[in-house]
Amino acid sequence: MSTAASDRPQGVYSPVLTPFNADRSPSAPRFVEHCRALLEQGAGLAIFGTNSEANSLTVAEKRALLDALLEAGLPAGRMMPGTGACALPDAVELTRHAVRAGCGGVLMLPPFYYKGVSDEGLFRAFAHVIEQVADERLRIYLYHIPPVSGVPVSLALIDRLLGEFPGIVAGVKDSSGDWANTEAMLRDFQPRGFDVFAGTETVLLETLRAGGAGCITATGNVNAGPIVELYRRWREDDAEDRQRALNETRAVFQSYPMIPAMKAAIAERRGDPAWATVRPPLVELDETQSRQLAQRLAALS
């Protein structure tokens, strides 16, 4: 099974922040508005990613939010929902729902509660989802984020999955923070039709120069336009300057807890204090942090 390169997700995707109401229930109207704004800036929608507080959402909440986007007329082909879960039936349900909705792909964490598991166990988990969904439209993008999940997706596992399920296992988001690992994926798997997305825009230029597909990056929520511009213009003479500017903005957000900081920035920009709400165990920025963040971002224009 193969997919034309033009049909595959490419470019910049944002793991979309999930806005909440004051009672910490998901706010579908804010979610739709934010997703529409990201699409208008040229970013795709990696809904239910790490920065979406996805593992603080129920399966029912995720399904309802995806359905809200579809009902609002947003293009399913530009969506890459996160569907990985510790419970395989949850992963199957979310993945099946995304595929039937016409999503361009799904971003899939391995089951992440048990640590020190074998590649054999992880292979069986991914294979189970693929076999249960049983839909030739399925495109899985593996999510490698060992600093958070504690469960790496090894190069050997990717090689086996790619050999067993070509076309279905379509790519990876590498959030390892290890460029040597990203480079190995680009070298060994990108030529086989396996698309490699960097997990941060700080290595977007390097990734594109090595043949990668783009990036799936948290700060796409708050700086999508300039990140998309680098993706579109990475061959131009000013690409290094664009990369440096992106890194400066990223560094500001990384100096705070990232999710609360991005939500605080959106709350300030939109004049909507509810946007700052996070679900425990996360905690909002305090007033001093929020003011400092706003000042530092203003200094960067």
Side-chain angles (χ1 to χ4, degrees):
M1 185 188 307
S2 63
T3 304
S6 60
D7 295 333
R8 299 203 302 257
Q10 302 278 316
V12 177
Y13 277 72
S14 172
V16 182
L17 293 165
T18 303
F20 296 111
N21 298 305
D23 64 358
R24 298 196 178 100
S25 62
S27 173
R30 290 183 177 91
F31 188 63
V32 171
E33 180 184 34
H34 185 47
C35 286
R36 183 174 283 118
L38 292 173
L39 287 169
E40 289 172 353
Q41 294 174 81
L45 308 175
I47 56 176
F48 317 141
T50 299
N51 290 277
S52 314
E53 298 171 77
N55 290 299
S56 298
L57 299 172
T58 67
V59 171
E61 287 173 330
K62 293 175 189 176
R63 288 186 59 134
L65 287 169
L66 173 56
D67 289 345
L69 297 181
L70 299 171
E71 289 164 8
L74 275 61
R78 292 286 286 152
M79 300 177 197
M80 189 190 290
T83 63
C86 287
L88 286 182
D90 288 350
V92 170
E93 179 181 347
L94 285 168
T95 303
R96 184 181 287 132
H97 190 59
V99 172
R100 288 177 177 174
C103 292
V106 298
L107 187 61
M108 193 173 294
L109 280 168
F112 52 83
Y113 178 76
Y114 297 105
K115 305 304 188 280
V117 294
S118 65
D119 276 3
E120 175 63 28
L122 295 178
F123 176 84
R124 292 182 188 183
F126 287 116
H128 177 83
V129 175
I130 293 167
E131 290 160 1
Q132 290 296 306
V133 173
D135 193 315
E136 65 179 10
R137 296 171 296 174
L138 174 60
R139 299 291 179 268
I140 292 176
Y141 291 81
L142 305 169
Y143 189 7
H144 176 59
I145 183 168
V148 176
S149 71
V151 180
V153 179
S154 71
L155 299 176
L157 175 60
I158 294 173
D159 183 61
R160 184 178 176 189
L161 287 167
L162 191 53
E164 190 73 22
F165 304 106
I168 291 177
V169 177
V172 67
K173 176 187 179 184
D174 185 7
S175 294
S176 64
D178 178 1
W179 174 251
N181 189 75
T182 307
E183 197 170 36
M185 291 178 175
L186 288 161
R187 181 188 65 243
D188 297 343
F189 306 130
Q190 185 82 44
R192 295 165 64 181
F194 180 87
D195 286 326
V196 178
F197 288 86
T200 168
E201 76 276 22
T202 60
V203 292
L204 176 56
L205 183 56
E206 205 167 4
T207 299
L208 294 172
R209 285 174 172 171
C215 67
I216 304 173
T217 178
T219 35
N221 281 283
V222 288
N223 199 33
I227 301 173
V228 170
E229 279 301 294
L230 175 58
Y231 171 75
R232 291 173 174 167
R233 302 171 64 175
W234 67 271
R235 292 183 178 88
E236 297 182 11
D237 292 343
D238 64 351
E240 296 278 1
D241 293 334
R242 291 180 181 275
Q243 182 68 78
R244 276 191 291 272
L246 296 182
N247 294 356
E248 289 177 359
T249 301
R250 176 83 181 205
V252 170
F253 282 101
Q254 285 189 164
S255 64
Y256 302 90
M258 280 280 286
I259 296 170
M262 290 187 294
K263 283 191 160 184
I266 293 173
E268 170 74 16
R269 183 184 302 170
R270 293 185 180 275
D272 181 1
W275 247 109
T277 305
V278 294
R279 268 190 178 171
L282 301 184
V283 176
E284 294 83 4
L285 296 191
D286 62 33
E287 187 176 335
T288 299
Q289 290 174 315
S290 296
R291 186 167 56 252
Q292 288 175 342
L293 173 62
Q295 291 169 349
R296 293 175 68 185
L297 292 175
L300 291 175
S301 300

